[in-house]
Amino acid sequence: AQSVTQPDIHITVSEGASLELRCNYSYGATPYLFWYVQSPGQGLQLLLKYFSGDTLVQGIKGFEAEFKRSQSSFNLRKPSVHWSDAAEYFCAVGLYNTDKLIFGTGTRLQVFP
Amino acid sequence: DTAVSQTPKYLVTQMGNDKSIKCEQNLGHDTMYWYKQDSKKFLKIMFSYNNKELIINETVPNRFSPKSPDKAHLNLHINSLELGDSAVYFCASSQDLLGIYRGLGYEQYFGPGTRLTVT
């Protein structure tokens, strides 16, 4: 069955430090991969997506993600975290033969000054 | 202008009541969705509609009935509310149902959510 795993439930970083949020997926076909961010009390905002082509994807707010097929991973990175990046981050896989998004359980990011 | 809006933002009600949540999108999208986010933040799709036609209907109790009067609106009606229905419900829309089929990369745009509390 298709699934998305975000191994880190909670991550704490200092402002200005680099960040990497992990995402692994299990899906037999070509994956369509997304990262969404949810600020407290808000809806989800798309950070970036991978459908095909270059495996390093640039997104909004200075985020990037790299698709590694051999590792079934789509990790999210940012070189320097800002306090406003504190939020919940969700990785999701789109299923090729449906219109469904399967979400991971999320990683809560805390940023200390 | 808000792209995907939901009303109400908060809904507190008692067990056994019937309630509705409304969703509207002004993006001109053809497809709309309802998701449920539980207390552990897990997001799961409930329904999707494409041009007013039901496409995805996950394993959801039939107390939940989506209604799409037009492609810009998708409402969720819940009968006989139970404690376990307490959650945040998100509406979303995307340009085209077949976006992923065609590899065109249509992402889903989410509303701000409705926090439903059943007491």
Side-chain angles (χ1 to χ4, degrees):
Chain A
Q2 308 91 358
S3 65
V4 178
T5 302
Q6 293 180 246
D8 305 306
I9 296 172
H10 186 197
I11 284 184
T12 302
V13 298
S14 298
E15 193 169 18
S18 63
L19 172 71
E20 182 170 30
L21 302 182
R22 296 183 291 166
C23 173
N24 293 96
Y25 67 89
S26 172
Y27 184 47
T30 302
Y32 297 100
L33 298 160
F34 305 81
W35 274 99
Y36 282 87
V37 60
Q38 183 181 22
S39 298
Q42 303 296 315
L44 280 79
Q45 181 183 23
L46 180 71
L47 285 175
L48 46 78
K49 62 184 181 183
Y50 170 79
F51 268 62
S52 64
D54 194 345
T55 56
L56 185 61
V57 179
Q58 302 298 319
I60 63 170
K61 304 185 179 187
F63 285 93
E64 66 177 26
E66 186 171 11
F67 169 56
K68 293 185 177 180
R69 186 184 296 274
S70 61
Q71 298 176 20
S72 298
S73 69
F74 189 56
N75 294 348
L76 181 71
R77 300 194 293 250
K78 186 169 184 178
S80 177
V81 171
H82 188 262
W83 63 266
S84 60
D85 293 325
E88 193 91 22
Y89 290 80
F90 292 93
C91 181
V93 62
L95 306 187
Y96 181 74
N97 59 346
T98 76
D99 210 39
K100 291 184 190 180
L101 282 183
I102 305 295
F103 282 87
T105 48
T107 297
R108 183 176 166 223
L109 174 66
Q110 264 188 305
V111 181
F112 283 106
Chain B
D1 280 344
T2 304
V4 183
S5 59
Q6 296 178 228
T7 54
K9 190 169 174 64
Y10 299 97
L11 184 53
V12 182
T13 187
Q14 292 183 328
M15 285 175 55
N17 285 349
D18 303 338
K19 291 294 179 185
S20 291
I21 307 171
K22 296 186 177 182
C23 177
E24 176 181 3
Q25 54 94 3
N26 62 6
L27 298 167
H29 287 170
D30 285 345
T31 308
M32 296 183 74
Y33 310 79
W34 278 111
Y35 285 84
K36 179 180 180 181
Q37 186 177 46
D38 64 23
S39 59
K40 296 185 178 179
K41 300 273 187 175
F42 183 63
L43 264 163
K44 192 170 190 302
I45 190 167
M46 301 172 70
F47 303 103
S48 77
Y49 268 75
N50 178 255
N51 278 319
K52 302 194 296 177
E53 180 185 351
L54 180 64
I55 302 298
I56 294 175
N57 185 352
E58 289 294 280
T59 309
V60 175
N62 57 15
R63 299 182 294 104
F64 290 78
S65 52
K67 284 188 172 51
S68 182
D70 54 63
K71 73 174 190 178
H73 296 85
L74 180 62
N75 303 324
L76 183 65
H77 188 75
I78 315 170
N79 289 327
S80 303
L81 277 154
E82 300 177 356
L83 292 176
D85 298 332
S86 295
V88 181
Y89 292 85
F90 286 99
C91 177
S93 74
S94 67
Q95 186 168 345
D96 183 0
L97 172 68
L98 299 181
I100 291 180
Y101 284 96
R102 297 172 185 161
L104 294 175
Y106 295 138
E107 62 263 33
Q108 295 180 17
Y109 293 81
F110 284 78
T114 296
R115 182 175 293 277
L116 171 64
T117 303
V118 182
T119 62

